[in-house]
Amino acid sequence: MKPYFQNLHRLTLPGTTASEPRRPVPTAATYLAQLAPEIQASLTVQQRSEVERVIDLAIPKPAPKVVDLRFNIDLLISRYFIVLMVGKDRRRTSRSRPVSRLNQLGNWVAAVVLLLGFNLAISTSVLMLAYLVKSALGIDLMPGHFRGFGH
Amino acid sequence: MDISTILTVGWRLAALVLGIGHWGWWLAALVAPKSAVVVAGLLVVYGLGVGWGSVVPASGVISMAIALVVALDIFPPFWADNLHYKYWAYTVLLLWATSIAVVFLLAAVGQDLGQIKRPYRLVSRLAMVGSLLLMLRAGATLYQAHWPGWIPWGNL
């Protein structure tokens, strides 16, 4: 409950809204603007463009995604976001952020449970929709049967 | 506030009020237990309070309720026994689609209410929840008053 109330407090602070403003995409100029004004003034045009070029190399470039589905689920006690992305893998090196074996296992278990849950919910809805559409079209797979499963 | 904003807010509120009245009517028609009415009321409060974050859980609840109606063969008392099941299937599909639309509208209006400045936010949320719960009750009252007239109330 505590994180929820902290979040609620943050969102209800004067001047803030429930929907976060979109963060601007950082560019080399954004980082350079953070230099002290006197250092900025001391840079020649050539130095400035060279520093910008190097910063540009360091800024990660997100790969284009075929599927980019993001939504959040607010369960009152906590708010979760779910992201599903599919895209061409352009990574050449292994991830630098080390994850312990136990964490990896936990992630897999949680992901499988979540996927099974979503699969169950979506499959039930799809099957029910198919059944209702079939019935609405007057297709009777069990002749003499006019009402749902129970008759 | 420009005219397009007023129109957008206006049609959303009108559709939401009608949608919630429609829920009330159907809850009464399906002789829903008190717990189902409480769940409908809680969905209204949840959708308005949370905004877009409520869409997935609320849609899940709606789909579960529709699945129960289909699986347990729950029909309104006025529904004629000799009517082909396809008409009931149409009705349930329509009920499902409109209920999901109501969930989206609740989320959209809830999100909008979240943008209102602080002293008025709680008051507007409470006013909206109160009005929508009254609409839920009004829908049930309309059913009990046998409205609309084209429904074959003689089957009751």
Side-chain angles (χ1 to χ4, degrees), chain A residues 11-12 16-19 71-76 125 128-129 131-133 135-136 138 146-151, chain B residues 46 50 53 56-57 63 66-67 70-71 73 75 79-81 84-86 89-90 92-93 96 111 115 118 121:
Chain A
L11 290 172
T12 50
T16 59
T17 57
S19 58
F71 58 92
N72 66 336
I73 294 179
D74 196 326
L75 297 178
L76 297 176
S125 298
M128 192 168 63
L129 182 70
Y131 173 75
L132 286 173
V133 169
S135 303
F146 287 102
R147 291 201 153 181
F149 300 127
H151 292 263
Chain B
Y46 176 55
V50 164
V56 174
S63 302
I66 295 288
V70 173
D73 274 348
F75 289 86
W79 203 265
D81 281 342
H84 196 284
Y85 189 74
K86 69 178 180 183
Y90 276 130
V92 174
L93 276 173
W96 193 9
Q111 196 72 31
Q115 315 282 332
R118 207 175 174 192
R121 192 183 301 163

Side-chain angles (χ1 to χ4, degrees), chain B residues 53-80:
Chain B
S54 70
V55 167
V56 174
S59 303
V61 172
I62 293 292
S63 302
M64 219 161 64
I66 295 288
L68 280 178
V69 166
V70 173
L72 301 178
D73 274 348
I74 301 170
F75 289 86
F78 60 79
W79 203 265

Side-chain angles (χ1 to χ4, degrees), chain A residues 51-76:
Chain A
V51 174
E52 275 185 355
R53 188 185 64 80
V54 175
I55 294 176
D56 240 2
L57 287 175
I59 295 174
K61 312 268 181 312
K65 281 118 192 145
V66 180
V67 177
D68 187 347
L69 178 71
R70 301 155 196 244
F71 58 92
N72 66 336
I73 294 179
D74 196 326
L75 297 178
L76 297 176

Side-chain angles (χ1 to χ4, degrees), chain A residues 83-102:
Chain A
V83 178
L84 175 68
M85 284 180 185
V86 179
K88 204 169 171 182
D89 190 7
R90 301 195 305 195
R91 185 182 294 274
R92 292 182 197 281
T93 52
S94 59
R95 283 184 189 279
S96 55
R97 190 163 44 93
V99 179
S100 72
R101 286 244 175 234
L102 195 66

